[in-house]
Amino acid sequence: SPSSGGGGGGGSSPPSDGSKVDGKEFFRQARARLSYENFSQFLQNIKELNAHKQTRAETLARAAEIFGEANADMYGKFETLLVKHLPK
């Protein structure tokens, strides 16, 4: 069966303001871009952070592994969200 990928309507989205990252929108995008397994790992990563079982740096390192090169832009957005919502 053909895999349903891409399909964003041309791929030319208006340039978004990188400094304004919305949490809900980010998770929607992450769910769309990551495999089910990777998305589950990503959620677990955040749960560990929220439970104070790992540091912000550890969480970012894990996120970088989960997102990989292909989704480096998503990692950048995640980093922005984390910094905004979790001051050191």
Side-chain angles (χ1 to χ4, degrees):
S1 65
S3 68
S4 61
S12 59
S13 56
S16 59
D17 176 13
S19 64
K20 220 176 114 213
V21 180
D22 175 65
K24 267 194 213 127
E25 174 65 15
F26 172 80
F27 278 100
R28 196 181 64 71
Q29 287 178 9
R31 180 64 198 100
R33 303 251 303 257
L34 296 172
S35 68
Y36 177 79
E37 189 181 336
N38 280 358
F39 187 67
S40 296
Q41 287 178 355
F42 178 61
L43 290 181
Q44 187 58 42
N45 188 30
I46 292 169
K47 281 181 189 159
E48 296 286 307
L49 175 68
N50 288 339
H52 306 290
K53 291 182 182 170
Q54 65 189 25
T55 65
R56 190 167 75 178
E58 287 169 329
T59 303
L60 285 170
R62 288 241 27 230
E65 286 171 24
I66 293 166
F67 285 125
E69 287 290 315
N71 296 303
D73 61 317
M74 293 298 289
Y75 171 79
K77 288 179 185 174
F78 177 60
E79 192 175 21
T80 301
L81 276 173
L82 214 54
V83 170
K84 212 162 62 174
H85 293 289
L86 266 187
K88 278 210 160 90

